[in-house]
Each structure stands twice: as structure tokens, then as C-alpha cells.
Amino acid sequence: SQQGEEDPQALSIQEGENATMNCSYKTSINNLQWYRQNSGRGLVHLILIRSNEREKHSGRLRVTLDTSKKSSSLLITASRAADTASYFCATRKTGTASKLTFGTGTRLQVTL
Amino acid sequence: DGGITQSPKYLFRKEGQNVTLSCEQNLNHDAMYWYRQDPGQGLRLIYYSQIVNDFQKGDIAEGYSVSREKKESFPLTVTSAQKNPTAFYLCASSLVEEQPQHFGDGTRLSIL
């Protein structure tokens, strides 16, 4: 079953704008990860945030985690056309080894 | 360069036929995974392996089989029992199960 649900399903912005994607999940987690997928390609890991962390940065990416609301957000600042891709959150539930559960993704389109 | 290689990129299956998807990694990772992705959907776990000669069923294992005879290789067989095999199949690996996963570029399977 899908643990994470991304919102919005699709997002279209202009280059230079910020893009915010949200992920909600249902059960307690050990960590939450964000991945990016270009069309027809495999996923690329972007960032991992642990359940005891509230915010993490990596370059133009900022991820927040609110375990009380069971939600996370991914902010991409100063978007570029090359950021056009689908973005997925994936959660590792508390007490379960190995399994990541992926959400349905947000399709981001960045136009010039 | 280290990475994960999936082959073939495109595969066609006839009714009643078994087909095998190849996944090879040279990252020296212990854990390997197979996912299925349907259009507009997230990833669903088919099988995973934490160590050579051991593997576990994921959420949608029916109609699929795997083997893990070598650390580098984790082939997936789509059997004739899988009645709806048309999908994009992604292989991934991680150093250990808690670490982020590295993905191959997928195999797109279609029915003739």
C-alpha cells in the first residue's frame, strides 16, 4: 500500500521561482527520503531526513519534517528548467528493515 | 564508474512466456531491490534481498521470482502467472538496508 501521498500531483512554475512539494504519511517512521525521477529514467536520491530531525538543507533543496502532523515538504529554490522531473517521497516505517514505501509523486514542470 | 545496470531497456513478452530482467551492480552493496512502476504511480516493491542466497517477498510478489546467487546480480523473472506484466521495472541497491537506494535506469516490459 502507498504510505506517502504527495501534493500537488502536478506543479508548473517559471524558471527562478521556488517550488514546494508536500508529502503526508500514515504511520510512525524512522526516516523520510526524497527522490527525483527524470522521464523514463531511474530514481535519484536527493535527501534523507531522520525522524528526530526537523529541517535539512542540500544546495537549493530544503526539506522539513513534522512528525506530529506526519508530513514533510521539499522546497526547491530558484528553480531551473533542468529541475523538471517527478519527485517522490519515501518512508521507512518504524520497526521495519529494508522496506521503503513510495508515494505517488509530484510532476514538476519548470518553464523558461 | 560504479552503478547499476539493467538490461534490456525494452522487453516484449508473448502470452504464456517467462521473461528475465537483468540487474547488475558494481557498488559492492549488500541489499538489492526490485520495484514495479505503473504510469503515474509510485513504486511498489516486488522482492528484496539483504544478502547473497537470501531474499524476501515485497508487496506484490505474486507472478514474479528472483535469485541472488552473487552479490552483484539480482535477476527478476516475470512468469506467465503474472497476468498484467506491462510496467516499468526498476532495480535498486543500497549498502545496507537503512541507507539511500541507488537505482538503475529501468526495463520497460510490454505484452505482444
Side-chain angles (χ1 to χ4, degrees), chain A residues 1-2 31 33 35 37 40-45 48 50 88 92 97-104 107, chain B residues 9 33 35 37 40-45 48 50 59 88 90 97-106 108:
Chain A
S1 62
Q2 305 268 290
N31 65 60
Q33 303 176 33
Y35 288 80
Q37 183 181 34
R41 303 293 298 272
L43 278 69
V44 175
H45 177 260
L48 181 153
R50 292 183 170 78
F88 294 90
R92 186 179 303 284
S98 296
K99 287 180 59 175
L100 276 184
T101 305
F102 287 83
T104 52
R107 292 189 310 279
Chain B
K9 191 169 180 64
Y33 315 83
Y35 294 94
Q37 185 177 31
Q41 298 294 314
L43 277 63
R44 291 185 290 168
L45 183 65
Y48 64 99
Q50 296 169 275
D59 298 318
F88 190 48
L90 287 160
E97 55 262 29
E98 293 83 12
Q99 293 296 309
Q101 295 180 10
H102 297 251
F103 284 80
D105 270 341
R108 192 167 299 279

Side-chain angles (χ1 to χ4, degrees), chain B residues 2-4 24-33 49-52 68 70-74 91-97 99-103:
Chain B
I4 299 181
E24 303 278 333
Q25 55 101 355
N26 60 5
L27 298 166
N28 200 32
H29 285 173
D30 284 318
M32 296 187 75
Y33 315 83
S49 168
Q50 296 169 275
I51 198 168
V52 175
R68 186 87 187 273
K70 298 187 301 182
K71 188 174 186 177
E72 302 81 17
S73 180
F74 191 40
C91 179
S93 72
S94 62
L95 186 59
V96 291
E97 55 262 29
Q99 293 296 309
Q101 295 180 10
H102 297 251
F103 284 80

Side-chain angles (χ1 to χ4, degrees), chain B:
Chain B
D1 277 344
I4 299 181
T5 301
Q6 290 188 243
S7 62
K9 191 169 180 64
Y10 300 96
L11 187 58
F12 299 90
R13 194 191 90 169
K14 295 180 181 178
E15 294 286 342
Q17 187 180 46
N18 294 352
V19 291
T20 298
L21 285 61
S22 170
C23 177
E24 303 278 333
Q25 55 101 355
N26 60 5
L27 298 166
N28 200 32
H29 285 173
D30 284 318
M32 296 187 75
Y33 315 83
W34 274 105
Y35 294 94
R36 170 182 171 136
Q37 185 177 31
D38 292 283
Q41 298 294 314
L43 277 63
R44 291 185 290 168
L45 183 65
I46 304 172
Y47 269 98
Y48 64 99
S49 168
Q50 296 169 275
I51 198 168
V52 175
N53 291 323
D54 185 50
F55 49 83
Q56 287 81 40
K57 293 181 180 179
D59 298 318
I60 55 164
E62 185 174 349
Y64 301 97
S65 66
V66 294
S67 63
R68 186 87 187 273
E69 297 176 1
K70 298 187 301 182
K71 188 174 186 177
E72 302 81 17
S73 180
F74 191 40
L76 173 74
T77 296
V78 184
T79 74
S80 56
Q82 172 50 244
K83 297 306 178 188
N84 184 24
T86 298
F88 190 48
Y89 290 87
L90 287 160
C91 179
S93 72
S94 62
L95 186 59
V96 291
E97 55 262 29
E98 293 83 12
Q99 293 296 309
Q101 295 180 10
H102 297 251
F103 284 80
D105 270 341
T107 292
R108 192 167 299 279
L109 176 62
S110 302
I111 299 299
L112 285 176

